[in-house]
Structure formats: C-alpha cells, structure tokens
Amino acid sequence: MPNKIITSSYHKAIICMVLAYISIALMGVFVKYASDELPASEILFSRFLIGFVFLLPFMIRDGDFRVEMRQWPFLVIRNLAGIGSMLCTFYAIKYLPLSISILLLNTSALFVPVLLFLLRTRTPLKVIACSVLGFIGVAIILLTDHHGEVEPYYIFVALGGATLAAMAFISLQELNKHNSPKNIVFYFHLLGAILLPLFFMAQWTLPTAHGLFMLLLVGGFGLIFQLLLTRAFKYAPANVITPFAFTGVIFSSICDWLFWQNVPTVHFWLGSLVIIVSVSLLARLRGQGKTKA
C-alpha cells in the first residue's frame, strides 16, 4: 500500500511539473509578443504585481508576515538575484528563440555546484564533473551556426540569468530552514513590485490594449507556473521531478515552430540532450546526498 501511495504522489508531481513548464513556455510566448512594444522591466513588473495581488489576501487571512531577520543576507541575495535573473531572462527572450531562452534558464542547476565550489563549500568531484558535462552541452548550442539569427551576447545574458537564479536557489535553501515558502514567495513578489518601478519606470510606456492583454497573460501564466511548481515539490523530492523541467524546452520549441517558424537545429537537440543528462545526474546525486545525510 505505501508503495502505491508513493507512486501515486510521484505521478501527481510529474503531471504538475509538466503542466508548470507548459505554463512557463506559454508565458515566454506572451513575453516575446509583449516585448515588441514594452521593455522587459515593465513586463516583469506585471508578473510580480499579479502574483502580489493574488498572494496578499492569503497573507492577511493567516496574519503571518513574520520573516526571520537573522537571515537577512540570504533574504537580500535571494530577492535581488531572483529579480535580476528574471530580468535577464525576459530580456533574452526578446532576442533569442524561445526554446533557447528556456533551455538556458534551466542551466541554473549547473551553476549551483560551481558557485558552492567558489564559496569553498565541499563539493564532490562527480558533482563538478556533471556540471562540466552540462557546460559542454551549452557550448554545443553556443558554437552552433544559427545563420545569424542568434547573437552570442544574448546567450551570455541568458546564462547570466541562470547564474543569478543559482545564487537565489542557494539562498533559498537557507531561508527555507526558518521561513515558510509562502512568506518567501510573498516578499519576493512584493519587493519585485516595489523595486522595478523605482529603477526602471522612466523607461516604461503606456501599454496599448493589446500590450495590456499580453501583460495580464504573462502575469497569469507566471502565477500558474509558481503554483504548479510548488505543488509538484509537495508531492515528490527534487531529484525525482527536476528532469521533467526540461519538458519546457520541448513545449517552447513547439511554440517557436508554430508562432515564429523557428525550427531547432540538430545541434540544439544534441546540446539539450547533454544538458538534460547532466542535470538529471546532478538531481540524482543531490537526492543520494540527502538520503545519506
């Protein structure tokens, strides 16, 4: 009976993960369309604002706005790195095929061991080897001739976003020890909704009806992604479901083909396969490490 319950939970987790990354692919489509008339910071603001408005009633109902301030360095890094990561990703989506943008965002898992190593945290050699394998996959995509359609600069912007996402993830692991996930997500959306207008409002323009509709869709699908992802991690551990994050690459590739007639190259799929294998191995090693601990 327990095995059946675990299997059922894992199935639910996988379904939530796949639906989450369908949502992130669709969000990317609307980010790309909104980018035709609006800057990335304004588009990102819509996602933060909609998430904040959705979460606020639940925070008021529970009356739990407390944050463990002894962890303020991790709180600052998580929020600033997370906002910077999303800003880089939204900016890259405008100039890169959607499939490449989503794929490079998912390489954040490769940067975690590298950052931990640089911070002089004990990192097993096989974990570093998996990260190196993943970066070989990135190089395969980076060095591919894209017929002038892809500028390396924007690939490095996307990789910068993945690096910042890895920094946010490391800080998030520490914050989760003493703070509820709901509080962490709420303050992330709150700070994003406050900081983006402070630094970027001078660049913003009044959206047209079409632009406003795109912004609502970006915020809506971004929120759906967040809720489904949270639900997936409730049903199963990260080492089980992390590989399914790459279903977003498949869905975004389909969107690239349907909306912009961009057909991914053989090199793209080869590099993607190498990255998926390396991230899957990293997730398994992470799960084994927790089991031993």
Side-chain angles (χ1 to χ4, degrees), residues 15 45-46 56 70 72 74 85 92 104 116-117 136 139 151 161-162 172 183 195 243 253 258 262 272 290 293:
I15 290 171
F45 171 72
S46 71
L56 184 59
R70 287 179 298 176
W72 70 265
F74 295 112
S85 170
L104 295 178
L116 290 174
F117 178 77
I136 290 172
E151 292 187 32
L172 187 60
N183 280 26
L195 292 178
S253 298
L258 289 176
N262 290 327
S272 299
K290 286 186 176 181

Side-chain angles (χ1 to χ4, degrees), residues 28 81 88 97 105 130 144 169-170 202 222 230 240-241 266:
C88 287
L105 174 62
C130 287
T144 299
F169 178 73
I170 292 171
T230 303
V240 172
I241 61 177
V266 173

Side-chain angles (χ1 to χ4, degrees), residues 24-37:
I24 206 73
L26 291 172
M27 186 195 77
V29 169
F30 299 121
V31 168
K32 203 168 184 66
Y33 276 123
S35 296
D36 291 338
E37 60 178 274

Side-chain angles (χ1 to χ4, degrees), residues 108-217:
S108 58
L110 304 177
F111 287 97
V112 171
V114 175
L115 291 175
L116 290 174
F117 178 77
L118 293 175
L119 292 171
R120 299 184 179 181
T121 301
R122 186 178 178 183
T123 308
L125 184 59
K126 54 188 176 182
V127 171
I128 296 295
C130 287
S131 289
V132 171
L133 176 64
F135 288 120
I136 290 172
V138 174
I140 292 171
I141 296 171
L142 183 64
L143 299 176
T144 299
D145 179 12
H146 295 278
H147 307 291
E149 295 178 1
V150 176
E151 292 187 32
Y153 169 77
Y154 299 114
I155 290 182
F156 285 113
V157 169
L159 288 173
T163 305
L164 290 170
M167 292 174 60
F169 178 73
I170 292 171
S171 299
L172 187 60
Q173 286 184 312
E174 294 298 321
L175 287 173
N176 277 329
K177 294 177 181 178
H178 302 286
N179 298 277
S180 71
K182 182 181 64 178
N183 280 26
I184 295 170
V185 172
F186 171 76
Y187 283 109
F188 180 51
H189 282 82
L190 173 62
L191 285 175
I194 292 173
L195 292 178
L196 286 170
L198 285 178
F199 289 95
F200 298 103
M201 185 176 278
Q203 306 172 3
W204 294 359
T205 59
L206 188 66
T208 62
H210 173 266
L212 183 60
F213 185 54
M214 292 297 104
L215 292 180
L216 290 173
L217 289 172

